[in-house]
Amino acid sequence: MLHIVNKSPFERDAFTSCMAHAAADSTVLLIEDGVFAAMKGSTVADQLSKTKVVALQSDVAARGIEANLADGVEMVDYAGFVDLVTDNEKIQSWV
Amino acid sequence: MSEIKNFLYVNRKAPYGTVYALESLEVVLIGAAFDQDVSLIFMDDGVFQIKKDQNTEASGLKNFSPTYNALGDYDVNKIYVEKESLEARGMTIDDLMPLTYEDEDDDWAEKSSIRMVSADEIRDLMEESDVVLSF
Amino acid sequence: MPTMDVNGSAVEVDEEGYLSDINDWNKVIGAALAETEEVELTDAHWEVIDFLREYYDEYQIAPAVRVLTKAIGKKLGKDKGNSKYLYELFPYGPAKQACKIGGLPKPTGCI
């Protein structure tokens, strides 16, 4: 299952709630302000190990945090985004 | 002669996700035309506004982060950043753009506009200012 | 979208005559924009326009007049860094007219 988070984890609880409810074999895709959840050493960074976490490259680059990403977080481009959406039967957006 | 007031702009939102950051920056630049004493606070997700290395090419958004470098030209040189907010996001002052101004009273020496402050110090800044504008 | 004719080709401008796309700009279009402002361009005009375009390129904004005069004075000399000099070149407002001719958006805070 694919989970998509687009809100900052420091402003909303969408990311924390998503990580608390996502199955271990699911993928969490971070887009827009959701990419801030992938920051190394932040107050939510310890949650990143619960599932596979990927972040949209263009949103990471826009916010200047490419060098700040936690280990293990992968980046995808728009084509990779589409692949994730087509490869997963179910998608949940944590708006 | 008009009375000079202390204006404090409080920036708490990340750029791009919402329009608050850009709106605040525009108000600061317009407001700088008036002779007032202006201070900016970046706290909570607002610290991301002055994150270095922003590159919006692939996203198609307008990168307005270079405009923060013009604040010194507008005599906006008191830029307070909350320590606690940086730490919570795994960042240090080195993650921020080096915002500077030229000190007219010191032979135009280039100086940093950024001052790291604690939440306690921010409370005092808010209490001491005449006008608080929050974005 | 209104357009302006430059040597037979149409260039998009906004309601106030500012160029819609900064990337469309070249010196020929600049000269055509100057004509609509009834400004006769000299080297002194181009010096200010080039400065504004460089400033925009670096900071992504057109500077307010106060900032422009200070910065021009620093870059091009004190005799040019004053509003009298700039208003002689651009009688209807140096920031406004020079930005328009340079293909830049209307300056923030320019009322």
Side-chain angles (χ1 to χ4, degrees):
Chain A
M1 183 163 176
L2 177 67
H3 297 274
I4 302 177
V5 176
N6 76 336
K7 297 292 190 297
S8 166
F10 309 111
E11 196 182 61
R12 310 278 188 92
D13 59 7
F15 173 75
T16 299
S17 187
C18 169
M19 295 312 275
H21 297 95
D25 63 348
S26 57
T27 300
V28 174
L29 171 65
L30 305 174
I31 63 169
E32 300 166 12
D33 283 350
V35 297
F36 292 129
M39 303 273 295
K40 191 193 303 181
S42 85
T43 50
V44 299
D46 57 341
Q47 299 171 36
L48 291 167
S49 55
K50 289 185 179 173
T51 67
K52 183 180 175 186
V53 176
V54 296
L56 188 62
Q57 196 272 335
S58 56
D59 285 333
V60 168
R63 288 156 183 81
I65 58 168
E66 207 156 337
N68 300 73
L69 293 189
D71 299 336
V73 174
E74 285 173 30
M75 287 211 279
V76 289
D77 57 12
Y78 286 114
F81 187 166
V82 173
D83 288 342
L84 280 171
V85 170
T86 52
D87 290 348
N88 284 277
E89 219 164 278
K90 276 186 294 182
I91 298 165
Q92 183 174 357
S93 276
W94 296 74
V95 292
Chain B
M1 205 180 111
S2 64
E3 186 194 349
I4 293 194
K5 286 190 171 172
N6 303 312
F7 277 69
L8 181 67
Y9 292 84
V10 181
N11 298 289
R12 297 186 47 254
K13 304 281 187 186
Y16 311 119
T18 63
V19 78
Y20 288 98
L22 179 58
E23 292 281 318
S24 172
L25 183 57
E26 289 193 340
V27 173
V28 169
L29 293 174
I30 293 167
F34 304 93
D35 208 10
Q36 306 289 359
D37 182 44
V38 175
S39 301
L40 268 55
I41 290 176
F42 292 95
M43 58 186 284
D44 298 335
D45 274 357
V47 297
F48 289 126
Q49 292 179 29
I50 52 172
K51 177 73 178 70
K52 68 179 182 187
D53 299 333
Q54 294 177 42
N55 179 350
T56 58
E57 250 167 67
S59 65
L61 300 158
K62 176 171 163 122
N63 182 0
F64 55 93
S65 68
T67 306
Y68 293 98
N69 289 311
L71 288 171
D73 293 346
Y74 284 76
D75 297 322
V76 176
N77 50 36
K78 283 177 286 188
I79 296 179
Y80 299 94
V81 179
E82 194 193 62
K83 277 183 224 148
E84 289 90 336
S85 299
L86 282 182
E87 279 166 20
R89 288 156 185 77
M91 296 199 290
T92 68
I93 190 168
D94 296 332
D95 284 299
L96 306 178
M97 296 188 285
L99 305 179
T100 59
Y101 71 102
E102 291 170 339
D103 190 348
E104 208 171 337
D105 302 324
D106 189 9
D107 198 24
W108 304 100
E110 194 173 61
K111 297 181 178 178
S112 175
S113 301
I114 295 182
R115 306 164 194 204
M116 296 284 282
V117 287
S118 66
D120 285 344
E121 289 170 288
I122 286 183
R123 181 196 57 222
D124 294 343
L125 286 168
M126 290 172 172
E127 288 293 333
E128 286 160 11
S129 64
D130 296 314
V131 181
V132 179
L133 294 149
S134 186
F135 292 88
Chain C
M1 189 72 81
T3 58
M4 184 183 69
D5 180 77
V6 182
N7 294 343
S9 52
V11 182
E12 275 190 17
V13 292
D14 71 7
E15 291 75 16
E16 294 178 88
Y18 287 81
L19 211 59
S20 298
D21 184 352
I22 181 174
N23 299 313
D24 284 348
W25 191 86
N26 57 45
K27 292 220 163 183
V28 176
I29 290 176
L33 286 161
E35 242 172 81
T36 68
E37 290 289 312
E38 293 172 8
V39 171
E40 214 165 298
L41 292 174
T42 64
D43 288 348
H45 291 90
W46 282 116
E47 200 172 50
V48 175
I49 293 162
D50 288 342
F51 176 86
L52 274 173
R53 287 187 58 86
E54 280 165 30
Y55 195 95
Y56 190 89
D57 192 49
E58 183 168 358
Y59 299 114
Q60 300 296 302
I61 48 161
V65 183
R66 179 172 67 87
V67 175
L68 175 68
T69 45
K70 202 164 84 176
I72 289 263
K74 216 180 138 208
K75 175 113 190 262
L76 305 175
K78 274 219 152 54
D79 53 323
K80 296 177 179 175
N82 57 76
S83 41
K84 184 174 173 287
Y85 174 78
L86 293 170
Y87 270 93
E88 273 167 9
L89 294 174
F90 303 100
Y92 291 98
K96 187 170 149 274
Q97 284 192 305
C99 282
K100 192 184 221 180
I101 296 165
L104 305 176
K106 195 171 171 176
T108 304
C110 182
I111 305 150

